[in-house]
Each structure stands twice: as C-alpha cells, then as structure tokens.
Amino acid sequence: MATDPTTHTSTPEAPKTIDAGKWANRRVAVRLVIYTAGIHAFAGFIMLLFELGGRNK
C-alpha cells in the first residue's frame, strides 16, 4: 500500500540562519530602544511646535 505524501505529519527542520540566537535578539532589543526613543523625541518636538504656535494667538 502506498502512503499519501499529503498526510505526512513530520516537517523537515529548517536550517538555522547566521542571525539565529541571542545576538539577533539583542540587536532587535537595541533597535527597539533606539526607535522608541526616536519616536518620543519626534513627538516631543511636534508638541513643542504646537505649544509655541499656540502662544502667538
């Protein structure tokens, strides 16, 4: 009896990439901190512009 290839339950394991592991996680965490700080600085600058613009009325 032939087996149906569509019912094969085990999947081959994907090869590990060079970036897999804690070094990639650390880079992602550092990038997250940088992006978060940058977005907050930009939002603060926009709020400053609105505050200064509102004083001239």
Side-chain angles (χ1 to χ4, degrees):
M1 203 181 210
T3 60
D4 187 9
T6 58
T7 60
H8 190 60
T9 57
S10 65
T11 57
E13 193 171 321
K16 296 206 180 240
T17 61
I18 295 172
D19 287 345
K22 68 177 186 176
W23 294 111
N25 293 339
R26 183 180 175 123
R27 283 197 300 265
V28 169
V30 168
R31 197 175 301 139
L32 179 67
V33 169
I34 291 171
Y35 289 162
T36 302
I39 288 171
H40 278 84
F42 180 70
F45 178 68
I46 296 297
M47 289 172 65
L48 176 68
L49 289 179
F50 275 108
E51 180 67 32
L52 294 175
R55 290 184 182 186
N56 290 332
K57 286 187 173 186

